[in-house]
């Protein structure tokens, strides 16, 4: 649970709301509900807002909510981003400010999948408060706690699988350990795992290592891995792992 002091530029908020009010005729309380969210909602709630979800939560028409965030972006209250999302793991592969930068094919460095863009599925449009208006901790991803970075920044928001489970729940279920690793630091980790695939991934650079573990593996073994700027470099190949980093802030 994160608790932080809300830092809001009152003058910028006032200017933006006045401009927003004059942009068109709004339904009653629409502007006040947006103002309330900017003033008191958590950083998580305001990061990468989905207008359709906002409309459902605030009981306002969906089309009007979309219009609200588009106008709020024009007057400087929010910033719009186009996210190219991996359809297999939900990783935000690219975050773009302009639709012109979107391209039809992209590779996910996290799960190593090839993606074909689907405008109504894997291209997400999100809105986040402008940092000059309200500073969220997500505006400085390097300062995030590792779990926050992994679940709330690294992956797209609001992704659900066919069985109804959330991406956040799935990520927690398959993850055995995560940590920031400082240059030269050694992390010792002992975990219990079954036969199958064991993956190591660095969230801040395109690096991943997969080890396939068979039933015939001894009960306890050592996997020693070094993480450098050019990726993972294993020295052994079994179950328990030891890894180091030569690069600042590697994961």
């Amino acid at each position: 649970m994160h608790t932080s002091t809300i830092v809001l530029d009152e003058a910028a908020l006032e200017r933006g709301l006045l401009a927003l009010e004059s942009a068109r005729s709004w339904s009653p309380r629409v502007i006040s509900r947006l103002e309330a969210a900017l003033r008191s909602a958590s950083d998580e709630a305001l990061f990468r807002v989905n207008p359709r979800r906002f409309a459902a939560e605030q009981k306002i028409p969906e089309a009007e909510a979309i219009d609200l965030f588009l106008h709020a972006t024009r007057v400087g209250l929010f910033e719009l981003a186009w996210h190219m999302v991996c359809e297999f793991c939900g990783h935000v592969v690219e975050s773009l400010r302009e639709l012109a930068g979107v391209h039809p094919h992209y590779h996910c460095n996290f799960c190593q999948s090839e993606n074909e863009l689907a405008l109504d599925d894997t291209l997400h449009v999100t809105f986040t408060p402008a940092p000059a208006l309200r500073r969220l901790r997500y505006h400085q991803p390097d300062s995030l706690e590792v779990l926050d970075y992994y679940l709330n920044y690294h992956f797209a928001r609001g992704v659900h699988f066919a069985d109804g489970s959330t991406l956040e729940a799935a990520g927690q279920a398959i993850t055995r350990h995560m940590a920031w690793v400082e240059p030269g630091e050694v992390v010792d980790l002992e975990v219990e795992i079954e036969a199958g695939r064991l993956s190591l991934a660095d969230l801040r650079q395109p690096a991943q290592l997969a080890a396939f573990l068979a039933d015939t593996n001894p009960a306890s073994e050592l996997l020693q891995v070094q993480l450098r700027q050019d990726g993972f470099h294993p020295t052994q190949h079994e179950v328990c792992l030891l890894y180091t980093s030569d690069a600042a802030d590697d994961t």
Side-chain angles (χ1 to χ4, degrees), residues 41-200:
S42 66
D43 284 8
E44 291 94 336
L46 288 175
F47 181 55
R48 296 175 179 169
V49 175
N50 181 325
R52 297 176 64 186
R53 188 178 304 113
F54 184 86
E57 293 170 350
Q58 300 295 328
K59 304 295 190 297
I60 62 178
E62 185 176 293
E64 189 169 21
I66 294 172
D67 211 19
L68 175 69
F69 279 93
L70 289 173
H71 281 290
T73 300
R74 292 189 63 183
V75 301
L77 294 175
F78 282 82
E79 292 182 343
L80 180 153
W82 301 88
H83 295 309
M84 298 172 64
V85 178
C86 177
E87 65 174 311
F88 300 98
C89 71
H91 165 49
V92 178
V93 178
E94 293 187 51
S95 180
L96 306 166
R97 291 293 182 87
E98 301 290 339
L99 182 59
V102 173
H103 45 91
H105 179 82
Y106 52 101
H107 174 79
C108 176
N109 289 316
F110 184 71
C111 72
Q112 305 304 315
S113 298
E114 301 298 326
N115 287 262
E116 298 298 331
L117 186 71
L119 293 179
D120 59 348
D121 189 13
T122 57
L123 184 64
H124 295 193
V125 185
T126 68
F127 298 83
T128 300
L133 173 72
R134 176 173 164 179
R135 173 67 64 172
L136 308 183
R137 65 177 183 275
Y138 299 103
H139 287 131
Q140 297 177 299
D142 288 349
S143 67
L144 294 173
E145 296 177 3
V146 64
L147 182 62
D148 200 15
Y149 183 88
Y150 176 58
L151 293 178
N152 297 325
Y153 185 86
H154 179 71
F155 289 107
R157 307 294 301 275
V159 174
H160 288 75
F161 295 105
D163 62 0
S165 62
T166 65
L167 182 61
E168 291 83 357
Q172 290 178 317
I174 65 173
T175 302
R176 295 295 177 263
H177 183 76
M178 62 183 73
W180 295 132
V181 184
E182 299 298 330
E185 182 181 2
V186 175
V187 175
D188 235 343
L189 172 63
E190 186 173 327
V191 294
E192 293 184 5
I193 53 177
E194 299 176 352
R197 171 173 167 160
L198 171 66
S199 296
L200 304 179

